[in-house]
Amino acid sequence: MADWLEGLITELRKFGSEATRVEVKAAASGLPASARESLAAFCNSPGGGTLILGLDDTPGFRPVGLPDARKLQTDLAAMCRDDLTPPLQPNIFIGEVDGSPVVVAQIVELPREQKPCYITAKGLNRGTYIRVADSDRRLTAEEVHQLIAERGQPVFDTEAVGDAAVADLDGAAVDGYVSRLREQNPRLWANESVETILRMNRVVVPDAAGEYRPSLAGLLSLGHFPQQYFPQLNVTFVHFPTITGESTPSGVRFLDNVSMNGSIPYMAREALAVIQRNMTRRSLITGEGRRDVWEYPPEALREAIVNALVHRDLSPGSRGTQVQIELYPDRLRIQNPGGLFGSLDVNRLGEEGRSSARNSLLLKLLEEVSVPGEDRTVCENRGSGIRAMISSLRRAGMGPPLFKDRVTSFEVLMPNHALLDDETVLWLSTLGREGIRDSQCIALALMRRGEVLDNSKYRAATGVSDSRVAYFELQDLVARELVDQTGSRGGARYTLSEYAKSVGTHEARRRPRPNRRLQIIEALAHLGDLSKAEIAQTIGASEKTAEHWLGRLKRNGEIEVIGGKNRSKNTRYILSQQLRLLLEDAETTGQ
């Protein structure tokens, strides 16, 4: 636990601000009442978080000196138990930072069926918070009701649309849907009427009076104009001329501004066409040379648009919010109402086997509804959309999308830049480290742009599916002194090392990187047999770096292992007989 806390404080100080999952409070005069808001916010937010009492919240995060850490720990436990509904039982312990005590609480995210947690004295509608960036935000009453509605499987998409009639369905779309069902499963549907098929698949459902009307899912999948009943269940697109969204000096506010209506299949197709209409092409460097590609690969756009449309919140309180697409000179943003549903975690999106459907009927119907004018259905409903999005961006030489889950909304952000552009490719070539894998190059390029990676983000960005392989590749970069690691185990974070940042600059030419191979050979030549720890101390490097170079020297036949098994603490290293003879000859001849 001490190592975990040390890594967390190192990370806070390195980046100079509190993080989404960390809140720091001085608490020098006792437990602050605002701690209740942070506790409630963390357990309502994806991944939970950590509250640290006893540190100044300035960028240095220095200890304030708690007069009675034990009492503060007791008071915090009582606050979790008595001031919040439902009561919390976080892991609370006393740690140490720079020799001074701090009180640390690790708060886990509540299960969906227990949310939301709220401050009891303020009540449900005024005392519910979530974490946004590095602060706690109070939810509106409507947002609170959305969380309550999602304690179980939402069924808003199965509801009958009160004023709608079967005639509001698109006849051609219905014919295509029925034909596909009969073709895919003739045993079930070949001999059933269209009316029966629509009823059994809940495209139409009975209302309170027993009259059959289109369900919300049926109307969105096969309706002619669902916006007749739900004007805001559509898609809006805005192309901004500036990265801030402000008008240009000449007063131009939008380059394009479009509202798309109709069923989901038509809106998805039109949204993709509108984005492409506003995109340009760029050059991509490949093994065969250069080729022109779209700024954003169409497959990635298609998946992001469909995901936003089919996973959006359809509860009554969210039906006044559209799916929003915003194109800026440096990024594309797609946002839908409703955060991730179920057990999904934003840091594990795209992993195989992870899928959770908020609108299960809608997804089921769209499995069999074709995209207008194309020979494919709108979605597969196999949880593969995010993986396809990431893969297509990777093939286009771009970095992975950024996902933001804010409980009541979900955002996909695609930066508009080639990850491996000319400058980055040149930089990678000057690192001078043979044997680096393609996946490691992608990670290095991302970190060069300021990204902070962990194991899951590394896998999402590179396509490495096994967390153990990702760990090995990240540790290899640490050993090569190209990457710095803060934290350990599941909390490990990786950033570009100062050496890697300086490659190609005047600073790198002024202070060249030490030749670790030569340093180790010289240490063994002058000091005799040494352990890995002794070598690391002698050359001023980490044990990971020493182990990396010892492995290379051993493979080259330049050193030998004595005493203990390989990689054990008792293992010691000496120069190989062949290298000793070469060094003796060189010394004799004066070379």
Side-chain angles (χ1 to χ4, degrees):
M1 192 64 72
D3 290 343
W4 171 83
L5 180 59
E6 181 181 356
L8 184 60
I9 299 302
T10 299
E11 187 174 345
L12 285 175
R13 289 172 174 171
K14 181 173 184 177
F15 301 110
S17 64
E18 293 172 272
T20 302
R21 294 189 180 183
V22 182
E23 175 70 20
V24 170
K25 296 183 182 297
S29 303
L31 182 61
S34 61
R36 299 180 304 175
E37 299 173 4
S38 297
L39 293 168
F42 280 136
C43 66
N44 287 329
S45 300
T50 301
L51 174 64
I52 304 177
L53 304 177
L55 293 180
D56 193 337
D57 62 359
T58 58
F61 298 100
R62 301 300 175 189
V64 300
L66 295 177
D68 192 343
R70 186 66 63 186
K71 181 179 184 302
L72 191 61
Q73 180 187 29
T74 302
D75 291 345
L76 183 58
M79 176 182 281
C80 293
R81 182 180 64 251
D82 301 333
D83 292 8
L84 299 168
T85 302
L88 304 182
Q89 293 182 317
N91 176 30
I92 305 175
F93 64 93
I94 297 176
E96 191 174 279
V97 176
D98 299 342
S100 296
V102 294
V103 176
V104 183
Q106 295 174 307
I107 303 100
V108 299
E109 180 186 0
L110 282 177
R112 184 182 72 221
E113 61 271 14
Q114 295 181 27
K115 289 181 182 179
C117 174
Y118 61 93
I119 300 171
T120 308
K122 292 185 177 183
L124 180 64
N125 288 338
R126 292 183 56 82
T128 302
Y129 293 80
I130 61 169
R131 192 75 175 166
V132 177
D134 59 354
S135 62
D136 307 316
R137 180 177 75 84
R138 185 169 67 86
L139 295 185
T140 65
E142 188 55 52
E143 289 173 329
V144 172
H145 294 159
Q146 289 177 28
L147 286 179
I148 294 173
E150 291 192 356
R151 285 177 174 173
Q153 174 66 47
V155 292
F156 300 111
D157 58 334
T158 68
E159 295 176 358
V161 179
D163 297 328
V166 176
D168 290 316
L169 298 178
D170 185 319
V174 169
D175 289 344
Y177 171 72
V178 170
S179 297
R180 183 177 178 85
L181 285 182
R182 286 172 172 166
E183 179 182 344
Q184 296 291 327
N185 200 331
R187 180 181 62 83
L188 284 177
W189 311 116
N191 299 316
E192 299 291 350
S193 67
V194 172
E195 180 181 6
T196 299
I197 291 175
L198 295 182
R199 289 182 179 182
M200 291 184 70
N201 286 281
R202 293 186 293 172
V203 175
V204 295
V205 294
D207 62 11
E211 184 176 350
Y212 276 89
R213 300 182 182 277
S215 63
L216 179 54
L219 196 64
L220 290 173
S221 300
L222 299 167
H224 176 66
F225 185 57
Q227 290 74 27
Q228 175 182 353
Y229 304 102
F230 304 102
Q232 300 301 311
L233 292 189
N234 64 343
V235 181
T236 60
F237 171 86
V238 179
H239 185 181
F240 293 100
T242 63
I243 61 174
T244 61
E246 299 175 346
S247 302
T248 65
S250 61
V252 176
R253 187 179 178 189
F254 305 130
L255 297 178
D256 202 356
N257 186 5
V258 183
S259 178
M260 286 148 278
N261 299 288
S263 64
I264 286 177
Y266 279 95
M267 287 192 293
R269 186 185 69 171
E270 187 177 350
L272 178 59
V274 168
I275 297 175
Q276 286 187 288
R277 184 177 75 202
N278 283 269
M279 282 196 300
T280 58
R281 290 181 175 269
R282 62 179 176 83
S283 294
L284 174 65
I285 302 171
T286 67
E288 295 76 31
R290 292 176 180 269
R291 59 185 175 90
D292 288 335
V293 297
W294 288 109
E295 285 182 289
Y296 302 95
E299 183 181 357
L301 295 175
R302 184 182 299 113
E303 295 295 343
I305 293 166
V306 169
N307 275 337
L309 286 166
V310 302
H311 292 296
R312 64 154 295 157
D313 182 12
L314 290 173
S315 64
S318 292
R319 293 175 188 173
T321 305
Q322 316 99 323
V323 170
Q324 300 169 343
I325 304 175
E326 297 174 346
L327 181 62
Y328 298 84
D330 64 337
R331 66 196 185 279
L332 176 74
R333 175 178 174 268
I334 300 177
Q335 179 175 285
N336 61 269
L340 288 177
F341 175 75
S343 60
L344 288 178
D345 184 293
V346 71
N347 291 318
R348 305 189 71 179
L349 285 176
E351 291 186 3
E352 190 171 353
R354 291 192 169 271
S355 177
S356 188
R358 170 183 278 110
N359 305 311
S360 57
L361 176 58
L362 179 61
L363 276 164
K364 183 65 177 174
L365 294 180
L366 290 173
E367 280 186 71
E368 307 297 346
V369 176
S370 298
V371 177
E374 299 183 30
D375 187 23
R376 62 179 183 83
T377 58
V378 175
C379 58
E380 294 179 341
N381 196 13
R382 298 291 184 270
S384 60
I386 297 294
R387 290 202 306 276
M389 186 192 313
I390 295 172
S391 296
S392 62
L393 286 166
R394 190 184 304 122
R395 288 194 302 271
M398 301 177 70
L402 305 177
F403 302 111
K404 295 182 181 180
D405 179 20
R406 296 192 174 96
V407 180
T408 56
S409 66
F410 183 75
E411 178 182 307
V412 178
L413 194 68
M414 298 184 192
N416 181 11
H417 56 67
L419 186 61
L420 299 176
D421 55 17
D422 288 347
E423 182 184 348
T424 304
V425 170
L426 177 61
W427 172 76
L428 287 168
S429 69
T430 57
L431 288 177
R433 289 291 174 258
E434 65 277 7
I436 294 180
R437 301 181 181 183
D438 289 344
S439 51
Q440 292 173 305
C441 287
I442 291 174
L444 287 169
L446 284 170
M447 286 186 268
R448 187 172 185 247
R449 295 184 183 274
E451 293 285 334
V452 180
L453 300 184
D454 57 18
N455 191 289
S456 62
K457 289 181 179 178
Y458 182 90
R459 284 180 280 133
T462 63
V464 172
S465 59
D466 192 323
S467 62
R468 294 167 298 182
V469 175
Y471 174 79
F472 168 80
E473 293 186 359
L474 283 164
Q475 291 300 307
D476 179 60
L477 292 176
V478 173
R480 294 170 182 265
E481 299 178 277
L482 299 176
V483 167
D484 291 334
Q485 175 182 338
T486 57
S488 59
R489 299 178 183 175
R493 300 291 184 272
Y494 303 89
T495 56
L496 207 61
S497 70
E498 290 302 319
Y499 162 75
K501 290 178 184 176
S502 70
V503 168
T505 66
H506 174 73
E507 179 68 15
R509 291 190 293 271
R510 189 171 66 84
R511 291 193 305 171
R513 189 179 187 183
N515 187 327
R516 299 302 190 191
R517 173 184 171 277
L518 184 58
Q519 285 181 329
I520 294 174
I521 290 174
E522 289 178 344
L524 293 174
H526 289 91
L527 301 176
D529 61 285
L530 296 171
S531 68
K532 178 177 67 177
E534 290 169 341
I535 290 172
Q537 184 176 11
T538 301
I539 68 174
S542 68
E543 289 195 25
K544 283 189 179 72
T545 298
E547 182 177 337
H548 169 77
W549 285 101
L550 286 168
R552 294 186 62 176
L553 288 165
K554 185 173 180 292
R555 288 192 296 272
N556 293 340
E558 295 173 301
I559 63 172
E560 297 174 358
V561 177
I562 62 171
K565 296 181 179 179
N566 195 23
R567 293 192 177 183
S568 76
K569 290 184 178 180
N570 296 324
T571 301
R572 302 185 73 80
Y573 301 88
I574 60 172
L575 296 179
S576 67
Q577 183 177 4
Q578 180 182 5
L579 183 56
R580 286 199 303 270
L581 292 174
L582 288 173
L583 292 176
E584 289 172 2
D585 288 344
E587 184 176 351
T588 300
T589 59
Q591 295 180 350

